[in-house]
Amino acid sequence: MEVAARPYPYTLVPGHTALVVIDMQRDFIEVGGFGDSLGNDVKRLEAIVPTTAALIDTFRQQGWLVVHTREAHKPDLSDCPPSKIARGNPSLHIGEVGAMGRLLIAGEPGNQIVPALAPIAGEIVIDKPGKGMFWATGIHETLQARGITHLLFAGVTTEVCVQTSMREANDRGYECLLIEDATESYFAHFKAATIEMIAAQGGIVGWVAPLSALTWALAKEPAHV
Ligand code: TIU
């Protein structure tokens, strides 16, 4: 199935394509979380929740795999390098108690995916200690076992965890498409730059397209898994 995209049409292979929703957790999207502790205006990120929900719904309707990630550390912080805890001189450090529990710690209220995008049975949820989804998660083996070769990306933030994950996926041979209205950054110019650099040089990291391009492709050519 062809999806209109930049720098040229993206060939989506039904049955071998998964959606990866990166870190749509309260830690980044709500006041009092990790993103806020770093001094960011978190309100920008909430705006993509409806588009991301529609994208997830599209995958569910097709019966295609959805993978959710969370940036999360073990309660004893054994998977969090001291350099990451110290970085940025934040108002609260990873593991310290904030308005939604301990920052970036698995199981805490702030570490939950926002209710509008909550995973359902049959979807994969991974906790990742890094910015990228492949470091120390085992997700590559899980995707390979399911025959996944194509990944669509959504989530936050565009230039940090989304871009890192997409580059990691690209290096592992996945054909990657970023859904540009289902990703956001605390910095508008970083989102724009990331989109440009992904699609530059003939799609050096992958493709970019709005959700409407996927919707159009499915309307034109209904897919069967
Ligand atoms: N700070 C920032 O922009 N992002 C992160 O720390 N993590 C993710 O992007 N998920």
Side-chain angles (χ1 to χ4, degrees), residues 111-160:
N111 209 229
Q112 307 309 310
I113 291 168
V114 295
L117 308 178
I120 61 172
E123 297 179 346
I124 295 175
V125 183
I126 58 165
D127 285 343
K128 59 179 186 57
K131 301 304 182 192
M133 65 185 279
F134 289 90
W135 166 245
T137 63
I139 189 65
H140 185 44
E141 291 71 19
T142 303
L143 294 175
Q144 281 187 311
R146 291 179 179 235
I148 298 296
T149 53
H150 288 57
L151 295 175
L152 270 60
F153 281 88
V156 297
T157 60
T158 315
E159 81 282 12
V160 183

Side-chain angles (χ1 to χ4, degrees), residues 100-119:
M100 296 182 284
R102 297 179 67 201
L103 292 193
L104 288 197
I105 300 298
E108 296 290 328
N111 209 229
Q112 307 309 310
I113 291 168
V114 295
L117 308 178

Side-chain angles (χ1 to χ4, degrees), residues 22-25 28 34-35 38 40 45 69-71 84 104 128 130-131 155-163 184-187 190:
I22 300 283
D23 298 358
M24 289 299 285
Q25 61 202 67
F28 295 111
F34 179 63
L38 295 172
N40 296 303
L45 272 48
T69 72
R70 292 180 295 222
E71 187 170 344
K84 185 175 181 183
L104 288 197
K128 59 179 186 57
K131 301 304 182 192
V156 297
T157 60
T158 315
E159 81 282 12
V160 183
C161 291
V162 176
Q163 180 171 214
E184 194 48 87
S185 167
Y186 298 122
F187 309 92
F190 285 170

Side-chain angles (χ1 to χ4, degrees), residues 1-4 12 211-223:
M1 171 186 309
E2 279 215 344
V3 179
L12 187 154
L211 174 59
S212 60
L214 175 63
T215 311
W216 274 107
L218 281 166
K220 218 169 64 178
E221 189 186 332

